[in-house]
Amino acid sequence: MSGLAGPMIYEGLYHLFYQYNPKGAVWASDIVWAHSTSKDLINWIPREPVLYPSQHYDINGCWSGSATILPGGKPAVLYTGINAENQQVQNIAFPKNLSDPYLEEWVKSPLNPVIDPNGSNMTDASSFDSPTIDYYTNDHQDKNIAFPMNNLPEPNLIEMVQSTSDPDMIDASNFRDPSTGWLGPDGRWRVIIGSKRGKRGIAILYWSKDFIHWVKAKQPLHSAEDTGMWECPDFFPVSTIAPVGLNTSVDGPNVKHVLKVSLFDNSKEYYTTGTYDYAKDVYVPNKGSIDDIFGLRFDYGKFYASKTFFDSAKNRRVLWGWINESSSADDDIKKGWSGIQAAPRAIWLDKSGKHLVQWPITELETLRTGHVDMPSKLLDGGSTVEVLGLTASQADVEMSFKVTNLEKAEKFDPSWTNAEDLCARKVATVKGEIGPFGIMALASKGLEEYTAIFFRIFKANNNKYVVLMCSDQSRSSLDDSTDKANYGVFLDEKLSLRTLIDHSIVESFGGEGKGCITARVYPTMAIGDGAHLHVFNNAAEAVRISSFSGWSMNKAQIN
Ligand code: FRU
């Protein structure tokens, strides 16, 4: 499995479409859209793949895309096809039979490709009268110009002017992953498509009245210098007043928007929260949110090509992320598969309005069994306590900590701007004043192997405290061929941790879901019954575990 391509709910059943290579364990360009369905987002039934390369417009691959529920409840998927000339074009497909609850067969539109980067079948809003702006400069947001939507040309009235020096030319090798569409009050659909121009990443915006005929907007929804190719862009509204999800087309006074992109160049995802103006089709990120170097991430570990969808049955927005392997392609081929999906997470805007909060969907709790509680307990500096009574290789643990002697915190050096680097230097064995304290998951009996998730607390110059959360994979496996990079994120003072442990996956939610880190690890000894779980405190100062609950987890039905 590679990235995601369109999660959705239709008539109460969840569908997941994903990138899958039927011919081998690792990615290949002629990838297909595989399909699974679920009643609860936890237990899944594999179905036949729905889109295979078959036509001139996708003969070399059916790449990522998104599902959109059209008025009347009819689903459509937009996906990137790699055409016979190896260009990236956008295609559409519809379910063959809407009364089949599993939507097992999909039909590609005879009008495909519906978006061709620079092709003659395309309409182009730049070719009708409007002021010229250069949206590839940093300040383009300020210069955005409202398009009179009712002046949009009819698709067949536009004459395309093409030239290689045209600043509007699209790089056909970097033009992919159409987003879920959103419908404006003006009756126009919008989608964005990931692209780049030079080193500037772009979310190119398209408009349509009927979801079939698309017109390129004069300016992209957003772009940013030096970010490289933007893959899998996702754009959705969030409520500023309640921790609920919103339909992708919703707008209003209590709504902000989120733009997420997956950066091909560093395999990381970033998002901003900001303001979207439907009339102008402008998205302006909040100050201090992303444009200060794309600061916010859904997940600070291994998590890519993610997608959200609005779950209309439960009024929530659900985030799906793809976790690739940390092992070599040779190992993946030996194993026979690669890539998994993270546990689905509900996602909403924090009360501060500045960042998102994530939490594993409540359905995950149906897998909980064999509960263990620990009474409030003081963990002395230098101590390690094993948590007994859980299947440590497959568990869900939740805990919170209390620190009483904060004045002992080490000084925070303002040059420490990168949490990941700090975690790489200050691994779990590096003793501190307050922290590292947390858990050692997937630990072998003699602690030859473990993955440590922990906090450290520092005192900053402004007398505020900085909490560093780390996921330390440096001792996760005795197999040295695997990627054991450490991950980290700065949090505020909420010292809570929830970790989902599942054999090779360790998904941690710190600060009540503010900072999430997913790690992929391959222990050689800490497997099955050989896996143990410990709480630890490798600091000078004691810390109190104020609450601890753990559960063994049943196995979900998966593909
Ligand atoms: C994301 C991605 C997408 C592309 C797909 C190809 O990982 O590279 O940009 O559409 O995977 O499988």
Side-chain angles (χ1 to χ4, degrees):
M1 178 191 288
S2 128
L4 213 65
M8 66 170 200
I9 180 166
Y10 174 70
E11 304 262 321
L13 193 69
Y14 296 103
H15 294 254
L16 184 68
F17 303 103
Y18 56 93
Q19 296 278 280
Y20 171 67
N21 177 6
K23 296 184 207 151
V26 292
W27 184 85
S29 172
D30 59 347
I31 204 151
V32 313
W33 271 48
H35 181 204
S36 295
T37 58
S38 171
K39 286 184 188 154
D40 58 6
L41 289 167
I42 300 294
N43 297 289
W44 290 88
I45 297 172
R47 311 251 163 221
E48 283 303 306
V50 292
L51 299 173
Y52 281 92
S54 68
Q55 307 293 321
H56 63 94
Y57 52 75
D58 66 5
I59 193 71
N60 288 312
C62 296
W63 286 20
S64 280
S66 303
T68 301
I69 306 293
L70 300 178
K74 184 180 174 184
V77 297
L78 278 168
Y79 70 99
T80 299
I82 309 300
N83 74 11
E85 285 83 46
N86 275 318
Q87 292 167 323
Q88 299 177 6
V89 301
Q90 318 311 324
N91 305 314
I92 195 162
F94 298 99
K96 186 170 181 183
N97 175 7
L98 283 175
S99 52
D100 165 17
Y102 304 116
L103 302 178
E104 287 192 280
E105 281 182 85
W106 288 67
V107 182
K108 298 172 186 174
S109 167
L111 296 171
N112 285 338
V114 291
I115 302 180
D116 185 340
N118 301 295
S120 53
N121 66 330
M122 278 310 300
T123 54
D124 187 337
S126 65
S127 60
F128 70 100
D129 197 23
S130 75
T132 305
I133 55 161
D134 177 12
Y135 55 75
Y136 299 111
T137 59
N138 264 330
D139 56 355
H140 74 272
Q141 296 295 351
D142 304 327
K143 292 197 251 160
N144 264 326
I145 287 151
F147 257 108
M149 297 301 290
N150 47 7
N151 282 350
L152 264 180
E154 286 305 317
N156 54 4
L157 298 182
I158 305 300
E159 198 189 321
M160 260 297 289
V161 186
Q162 275 194 39
S163 93
T164 43
S165 60
D166 180 350
D168 284 340
M169 278 295 275
I170 292 171
D171 172 357
S173 308
N174 288 290
F175 179 58
R176 56 182 176 271
D177 309 341
S179 69
T180 294
W182 68 99
L183 180 63
D186 51 16
R188 304 283 170 151
W189 284 97
R190 283 94 165 146
V191 296
I192 46 173
I193 299 169
S195 190
K196 70 167 178 175
R197 187 173 183 85
K199 287 189 176 164
R200 175 170 282 268
I202 323 174
I204 302 182
L205 179 68
Y206 280 82
W207 294 319
S208 176
K209 283 183 192 164
D210 58 7
F211 217 78
I212 296 272
H213 297 92
W214 293 91
V215 176
K216 181 156 84 62
K218 176 72 184 173
Q219 66 259 27
L221 186 75
H222 192 47
S223 72
E225 195 51 85
D226 283 332
T227 48
M229 174 62 190
W230 285 7
E231 297 189 311
C232 302
D234 198 16
F235 187 61
F236 54 89
V238 283
S239 166
T240 56
I241 49 171
V244 296
L246 298 175
N247 189 310
T248 311
S249 298
V250 162
D251 196 20
N254 301 317
V255 170
K256 270 192 174 180
H257 275 75
V258 173
L259 174 67
K260 183 278 310 190
V261 294
S262 309
L263 296 193
F264 177 79
D265 288 1
N266 70 2
S267 302
K268 291 177 178 172
E269 299 199 309
Y270 298 86
Y271 73 87
T272 50
T273 59
T275 310
Y276 170 60
D277 182 335
Y278 258 111
K280 296 184 180 158
D281 256 326
V282 176
Y283 169 72
V284 182
N286 286 348
K287 279 237 168 353
S289 149
I290 222 184
D291 275 49
D292 45 3
I293 266 318
F294 272 65
L296 294 169
R297 294 171 59 189
F298 287 161
D299 194 297
Y300 292 79
K302 216 169 249 264
F303 194 90
Y304 196 72
S306 73
K307 277 275 148 89
T308 63
F309 76 102
F310 174 61
D311 178 358
S312 51
K314 297 237 163 121
N315 231 13
R316 62 187 169 182
R317 184 157 288 271
V318 176
L319 168 68
W320 280 97
W322 166 58
I323 312 170
N324 68 3
E325 302 295 316
S326 296
S327 51
S328 66
D330 280 352
D331 281 354
D332 298 345
I333 290 163
K334 263 185 239 150
K335 178 170 62 150
W337 59 274
S338 68
I340 43 179
Q341 292 302 139
R345 303 171 182 178
I347 182 168
W348 65 91
L349 190 68
D350 181 66
K351 279 199 196 96
S352 69
K354 288 192 180 146
H355 62 86
L356 297 169
V357 182
Q358 298 167 58
W359 205 243
I361 55 163
T362 52
E363 290 90 330
L364 192 75
E365 292 161 27
T366 61
L367 298 177
R368 286 176 171 177
T369 161
H371 182 207
V372 169
D373 262 339
M374 209 191 270
S376 170
K377 184 182 180 68
L378 197 66
L379 255 191
D380 285 332
S383 62
T384 298
V385 177
E386 179 162 6
V387 180
L388 296 166
L390 292 179
T391 54
S393 59
Q394 202 167 291
D396 179 355
V397 290
E398 273 189 70
M399 69 210 81
S400 56
F401 300 91
K402 206 167 170 65
V403 175
T404 41
N405 42 359
L406 271 172
E407 72 285 355
K408 295 274 175 59
E410 291 151 76
K411 262 193 108 161
F412 185 75
D413 179 338
S415 74
W416 294 342
T417 49
N418 184 320
E420 191 170 295
D421 288 351
L422 198 53
C423 290
R425 289 205 306 278
K426 292 181 177 283
V427 296
T429 47
V430 177
K431 198 169 163 172
E433 289 299 323
I434 304 185
F437 57 83
I439 59 170
M440 285 192 269
L442 298 172
S444 59
K445 198 165 190 323
L447 293 183
E448 298 87 348
E449 292 181 328
Y450 59 83
T451 296
I453 302 96
F454 58 82
F455 299 105
R456 288 176 189 272
I457 302 179
F458 300 97
K459 189 171 189 170
N461 280 343
N462 56 5
N463 278 338
K464 286 204 170 139
Y465 292 93
V466 177
V467 177
L468 175 70
M469 172 182 169
C470 299
S471 184
D472 172 3
Q473 285 68 245
S474 57
R475 302 277 186 103
S476 59
S477 172
L478 293 178
D479 175 355
D480 281 329
S481 72
T482 67
D483 166 15
K484 294 185 219 167
N486 285 357
Y487 309 119
V489 56
F490 292 118
L491 297 174
D492 50 29
E493 288 163 39
K494 287 175 194 152
L495 292 173
S496 76
L497 176 67
R498 177 165 179 199
T499 298
L500 307 174
I501 303 159
D502 191 7
H503 301 275
S504 66
I505 314 146
V506 181
E507 280 185 72
S508 298
F509 300 78
E512 299 177 354
K514 179 179 177 190
C516 306
I517 304 181
T518 295
R520 195 75 207 281
V521 293
Y522 304 87
T524 61
M525 301 169 76
I527 49 181
D529 292 342
H532 301 261
L533 176 70
H534 302 271
V535 288
F536 80 101
N537 176 18
N538 189 23
E541 296 298 318
V543 63
R544 177 164 292 281
I545 301 181
S546 36
S547 67
F548 184 103
S549 286
W551 293 264
S552 298
M553 295 293 271
N554 283 326
K555 197 170 160 42
Q557 182 183 346
I558 54 170
N559 283 359

